[in-house]
Each structure stands twice: as C-alpha cells, then as structure tokens.
Amino acid sequence: MTSMNSWSDKSSLPPRKRAERRPVPELAAYHWSGAGLRQEGVKDISSTGVYLLTKERWLPGEMISVTLQRKGPPEQISDRRITLKTTAVRWGEDGVALSFVLPNDLDVRLWDSPLKLTSEHTEPEDILREFRVAEALAFLNRICPSAVEEVRHLLREGLSNYRVAAAVEIALRAEEGFVALPESENLRIAPRLLVRILEDGSWAEADWIQQLWAGLLMSSCTVEGRDESNLAFVDLLSQLTHIHVRIFVAACTRTTKFVSGVGRISSRPFACTTEEIMKITGSRDLIRIERDLAHLADLGLLEERVKSRFFMAVDEASITPTPMGLQLYARCRGHRGPSQDFYRGESVGIPVFSKES
C-alpha cells in the first residue's frame, strides 16, 4: 500500500501544465461507498479534475465514478447532473484530488469557454452545462466529422443558452440510444441534416419532444452518411407544437395497424370522444383542438376529417394517422428500417397488426 507521504511527494510526479481551478461552493459530488450513496462537498474544480472534501482515502490510480450536481438530494432530471469517471491522484488534509478520465475528443473548457463562466464562484449549472456541451460535441464529431466546426459554433456561440440546453439534450439522448443500433460505431449523418436537427430541435421545450428529435437524429444515421431523406421529416416535426405532438403520438400509438399493399403500413379508422381528446391535449378549448386537428391533416399526418363549418364541438374526433404519419413516428423513435418491423408486436406498446390486401 502506498503511504500518504510518498504519494503526496510532488517531486516524484512528472511536471505537467496545471489547469485553472476555481471554488464552486454549491457544487456537490455523489459516489457509491460501502455504506451506500454518499454526497461530498467540492472544494474546487478545473477542466481536468476535482477536489472532494471527504474522509475517503482512495488508493492512487483507483477508479471512482462521481456524479456532479447542485448540493441537495440526488437529481432525477438528466440535465441537472453529470456522471464522470475519475482516478484518485493525491490526498490532502481535508480530502482527495481526482482526475477526470475523459475521452480524447472531449474538449472541456470551463474557464475559457464562450459560455462565459467568469464569476469567481461559478454556479453548479454552469459547470454541468460545459461538461454536457463537451460530451455532446464529442459525440456529434464522431458521427459527422465534416461538420465539427459548424456544430461547435452552433453550441458554443450560435444559439441562446436555452436552445443550447435543448440541442445538447437531444444529442446526449441520441448517444444513449446509439448503443442498441447495429454497426453504431460506423454510422454517420449528413452534415446539413445534423445541423437542421440541432437548430430546429433546439426549440423543443418538453423533454418528451426532445426525445422524438433524438430518435430522428438516430434514424438519420447510415453507414454511408449521405442520406438526407429525413429532411422531410425534420420539416414536419418542426411545424408541431406540444399539443400537435400529443395528438400525433396518441394517434400513432393507440390505433391498430395493418399492412396494405406492398409493405405499406396503414391504420384503421380511430376516433376519440370529446373528453378523451381534451385529456390527450390537456386543453378544454375545443375550437383550438379543432384547428390543431386540421393542421395535422393539412400536413398529411392525420387522415382528412369532415371539418366543422363553425368550429362547433363534436361528440367524436377522428385522429387516424396516415402512412406518412406512421413513418414519421417510427423515425422519431429511432427506427430506420421498414415501418412494419417497428410496428410489429408489443415492444412499442401497440397491438400486433393484421394483414390485409
């Protein structure tokens, strides 16, 4: 076992450029110990490591997984925390210094980032955002090396902080889903398509809509990396508000599908009662709901309906998805292949479809 004195002897360590460290009083680190999940204070942090105020004394080189977040109970929302692998470097009287184990393509710039982390006592959210931006950029660079400069400008300077957070969440959710894709390491995306997904998807407010954009990003990747066919679906998804998306998702998941023609997926007619459609949309404004249904039909995502002349309330609302609507939903769930493969079985939470001529 290495002694504390020999480990702390800085003269035995190879010289290296030291990244600037700053105190972040409200930042905390969670890690697992024999007693369970523990929260430790953070004395200071840099782009390369963090110093924890802890009684733990890990061995030099020992791997520790830490989750950084604002002090308080463990965060359940993904964009309010970041989990990083670290190795123990040295001990101090009040804690342990840890070095981040980061991929070579992860460019973290805490204090010289255009995100402008300039205050002496930086907010934890600023720290987490920079790490998440760096992680997203590393992933996007792997799937589209030719767009690296344009994407970096977009996430570091081109979008507002609010839109950056949404674009980063889309990228990181897509990265999580990538592990299940065949040949994921070889998949690439066309530059124009990637930029459009990040730009248009960055307006998405709700996390469940961001998940649809992440699925569209996943289904946009091919081995060749030149297919831009999903641009049409980007155009469609970008024209949907959260109420449109609620109706659209309900239509695609609740209806019974069947194969019509040569591999064409269609849906049997489906209608909701007035109460059901209000529950789906979260709105009791029937005039607005009528307009939203008409908008989805105009886009070709729902079958044409008999339109009310004066927007009067009706007992039933038809929300039958079109084949194009079903294809869009499959792409937004990350599915690239034939739509019938996506809609077959219970794995996506819908009935098994039947075969019709």
Side-chain angles (χ1 to χ4, degrees), residues 301-321:
L301 300 178
L302 294 185
E303 298 289 354
E304 288 289 342
R305 308 167 54 249
V306 176
K307 297 181 180 180
S308 171
R309 186 176 178 183
F310 300 106
F311 294 109
M312 297 178 65
V314 293
D315 292 333
E316 288 189 338
S318 173
I319 58 168
T320 305

Side-chain angles (χ1 to χ4, degrees), residues 99-346:
S99 176
F100 296 130
V101 180
L102 304 174
N104 293 331
D105 55 359
L106 202 66
D107 180 24
V108 180
R109 295 186 258 166
L110 284 185
W111 316 125
D112 59 353
S113 168
L115 296 179
K116 303 186 186 305
L117 309 184
T118 56
S119 63
E120 183 178 355
H121 292 163
T122 316
E123 291 298 313
E125 290 75 17
D126 297 328
I127 303 293
L128 303 181
R129 181 178 59 181
E130 172 57 27
F131 274 100
R132 287 171 60 81
V133 168
E135 185 178 350
L137 283 172
F139 167 66
L140 297 173
N141 182 40
R142 290 195 294 271
I143 64 174
C144 193
S146 60
V148 59
E149 292 302 325
E150 186 173 4
V151 170
R152 180 180 289 113
H153 172 79
L154 196 66
L155 295 189
R156 293 199 180 277
E157 300 179 43
L159 300 177
S160 65
N161 288 346
Y162 177 83
R163 293 180 64 193
V164 166
V168 166
E169 184 68 14
I170 289 167
L172 296 183
R173 286 179 180 233
E175 183 180 24
E176 288 179 6
F178 242 61
V179 295
L181 296 180
E183 300 184 281
S184 59
E185 294 183 358
N186 300 319
L187 295 179
R188 300 292 182 267
I189 185 173
R192 184 169 64 146
L193 182 53
L194 173 60
V195 172
R196 278 290 309 278
I197 289 174
L198 294 176
E199 287 183 332
D200 292 8
S202 67
W203 292 105
E205 298 179 3
D207 57 356
W208 52 276
I209 298 180
Q210 293 168 3
Q211 183 63 55
L212 296 179
W213 282 102
L216 194 57
L217 194 160
M218 291 169 57
S219 66
S220 298
C221 295
T222 63
V223 174
E224 295 80 12
R226 294 189 293 271
D227 189 340
E228 295 186 335
S229 60
N230 267 6
L231 280 171
F233 296 118
V234 171
D235 289 336
L236 289 171
L237 187 57
S238 64
Q239 297 182 63
L240 305 185
T241 66
H242 72 282
I243 290 183
H244 294 139
V245 176
R246 285 178 181 273
I247 297 171
F248 171 65
V249 171
C252 292
T253 56
R254 296 188 184 189
T255 56
T256 302
K257 288 77 179 175
F258 61 90
V259 179
S260 61
V262 183
R264 180 185 174 93
I265 295 295
S266 298
S267 174
R268 291 192 176 86
F270 182 75
C272 292
T273 66
T274 301
E275 286 298 321
E276 287 173 335
I277 195 65
M278 288 192 294
K279 185 175 181 180
I280 288 170
T281 60
S283 171
R284 303 193 69 83
D285 186 344
L286 293 177
I287 293 179
R288 177 175 179 177
I289 292 173
E290 177 75 22
R291 291 171 177 167
D292 291 333
L293 292 171
H295 180 67
L296 289 167
D298 290 342
L299 290 177
L301 300 178
L302 294 185
E303 298 289 354
E304 288 289 342
R305 308 167 54 249
V306 176
K307 297 181 180 180
S308 171
R309 186 176 178 183
F310 300 106
F311 294 109
M312 297 178 65
V314 293
D315 292 333
E316 288 189 338
S318 173
I319 58 168
T320 305
T322 63
M324 183 172 67
L326 293 172
Q327 188 177 8
L328 170 61
Y329 182 68
R331 294 291 179 94
C332 287
R333 289 289 300 272
H335 183 78
R336 179 76 192 182
S339 296
Q340 61 264 36
D341 293 344
F342 175 77
Y343 288 107
R344 189 185 302 275
E346 298 179 356

Side-chain angles (χ1 to χ4, degrees), residues 42 44-46 48-52 66 68 86 96-100:
V42 172
D44 54 47
I45 188 171
S46 72
T48 59
V50 62
Y51 190 98
L52 299 190
V66 298
L68 301 176
T86 69
V96 178
L98 305 176
S99 176
F100 296 130

